Amino acid sequence: MGVIPEAVVRVPLTPPPDPAAPKAWAAVVHKMRIGVQVWQLDEGHFTILSLNPAGELLLGVSPENVAGMRVEDCFPWTGEMGVTSVAARVLRSDVPELLDDIEVRTPHGPLCLSVEVFPLPDQCIGVAFADVTERERRESRLRREALHDPLTGVANRRLLAERIEEAFAAPSRPGRYVAMVVLDLDDFKSVNDRHGHSGGDILLQQVALRLLDLTRSTDTVARLGGDEFAILAPTVVGLRGARRLAARVGEAFDIPFDVNGRVTRVSASIGVAARLPQSPAVPPLVDVADRAMYAQKRRRGGRSGPTPADIAAARQGA
């Protein structure tokens, strides 16, 4: 596949007035490194008049095989993604339109295209399209890196905050609570002392995987920093459901971990908090669970659960 620029280069909407311009303009389009098609409206359907070499290369078709055919017969995605509808609108309005992030399948594989549709004379439409697949991959990777912990791959504080906001904004059902579990590994320093920091990192990764295994797809596992993790469960049945989630987290640490081939046992202090979705947001739910976790850590082996203050706050919102 040739090199296709990521940004759509604006194609002239009309040829310059010079008499020699149409031929020159056609030569420019022919040599452009972005795909360009010309469509014409015929009995309510767009047919393909021409396709430049870049378009041939990008879409994996030959101009002689598609010329004169209906657009949606050659490229079904133009109908599925609304490109032909936009083309009809552009024909009526005489105003170009840009469509970003059009996902299509080609003989080369899936692509993400940026498509510009612009009017031409004689009931014709120009369609310029550029491959922005790599750009989208980079942007997707950057979005993921901004919202996930680089070591464990679970959510970071920023994504957790977004999910908490969504949970409290969602319509609630009677008896359903939003639950938060916060846990902190006990004596994590000794793990680093025995196995080195790389061993500590391996343990954190295994803890994250274990938490993901015991949660639902609707739950969010996050690393708050260091050896502290959180689980947001947007819907649990009553305060008892929140406690059951905390109990499952505690049981996950009954099974030892394997750090560089050595059996490693570690425990965790766990705090849990739960509120009805319409309850006041102050203090933040994660802070309440965090305080409950540190209270348990001080007790060294006390049972986890919502603090009395948080249970009262949850019941006030009922």
Side-chain angles (χ1 to χ4, degrees):
M1 193 188 308
V3 177
I4 307 297
E6 291 185 350
V8 171
V9 178
R10 301 288 174 173
V11 178
L13 301 187
T14 57
D18 190 309
K23 185 178 294 187
W25 185 75
V28 168
V29 172
H30 184 80
K31 293 182 178 180
M32 292 180 79
R33 300 196 324 185
I34 62 168
V36 180
Q37 294 185 25
V38 177
W39 301 348
Q40 187 173 45
L41 189 63
D42 180 24
E43 297 182 353
H45 296 277
F46 285 104
T47 58
I48 300 170
L49 295 185
S50 63
L51 172 68
N52 74 345
E56 174 186 356
L57 185 66
L58 185 61
L59 298 177
V61 295
S62 174
E64 54 267 22
N65 292 336
V66 298
M69 294 186 63
R70 287 185 177 181
V71 171
E72 293 188 14
D73 290 341
C74 296
F75 309 110
W77 54 266
T78 58
E80 296 163 1
M81 304 302 293
V83 181
T84 49
S85 298
V86 170
R89 187 166 63 237
V90 168
L91 202 59
R92 293 191 300 269
S93 67
D94 207 39
V95 176
E97 293 194 31
L98 181 66
L99 296 87
D100 261 331
D101 305 337
I102 301 293
E103 296 183 0
V104 306
R105 297 198 67 83
T106 74
H108 307 302
L111 294 177
C112 185
L113 302 179
S114 179
V115 180
E116 184 174 14
V117 183
F118 52 91
L120 292 172
D122 303 321
Q123 290 289 95
C124 290
I125 286 291
V127 183
F129 43 94
D131 181 1
V132 295
T133 307
E134 286 305 317
R135 185 193 73 186
E136 286 303 305
R137 285 174 180 163
R138 285 199 303 270
E139 291 179 356
S140 177
R141 185 172 64 251
L142 290 173
R143 285 193 295 269
R144 177 170 178 79
E145 290 173 355
L147 297 173
H148 292 79
D149 174 56
L151 176 64
T152 62
V154 299
N156 61 14
R157 281 184 177 270
R158 179 179 170 185
L159 181 54
L160 179 64
E162 291 181 8
R163 296 282 172 81
I164 293 171
E165 187 175 342
E166 292 170 3
F168 280 98
S172 60
R173 289 180 289 170
R176 298 285 176 167
Y177 283 71
V178 178
M180 176 71 66
V181 173
V182 173
L183 61 136
D184 186 85
L185 304 187
D186 295 326
D187 198 21
F188 180 66
K189 182 178 181 300
S190 66
V191 176
N192 281 329
D193 292 341
R194 289 197 309 271
H195 302 287
H197 288 289
S198 62
D201 288 347
I202 291 171
L203 176 62
L204 293 174
Q205 291 167 341
Q206 291 186 15
V207 168
L209 289 173
R210 200 166 287 188
L211 296 178
L212 288 170
D213 284 343
L214 64 86
T215 52
R216 305 165 298 179
S217 60
T218 53
D219 299 337
T220 299
V221 176
R223 183 182 176 207
L224 302 181
D227 57 343
E228 189 172 356
F229 292 84
I231 299 173
L232 169 70
T235 56
V236 296
V237 181
L239 299 171
R240 191 172 300 173
R243 293 193 187 98
R244 281 199 294 267
L245 174 59
R248 290 203 307 273
V249 172
E251 290 167 1
F253 288 87
D254 292 342
I255 304 170
F257 295 87
D258 182 342
V259 179
N260 292 329
R262 297 173 63 183
V263 174
T264 302
R265 294 188 177 276
V266 64
S267 61
S269 297
I270 302 169
V272 58
R275 284 192 184 132
L276 291 169
Q278 63 266 38
S279 300
V282 178
L285 193 62
V286 67
D287 290 352
V288 177
D290 197 56
R291 288 200 297 270
M293 180 272 294
Y294 277 108
Q296 191 202 31
K297 186 177 282 289
R298 287 192 297 271
R299 292 193 298 270
R300 290 299 182 194
R303 297 178 63 187
S304 65
T307 64
D310 197 55
I311 293 174
R315 287 175 174 162
Q316 287 170 8

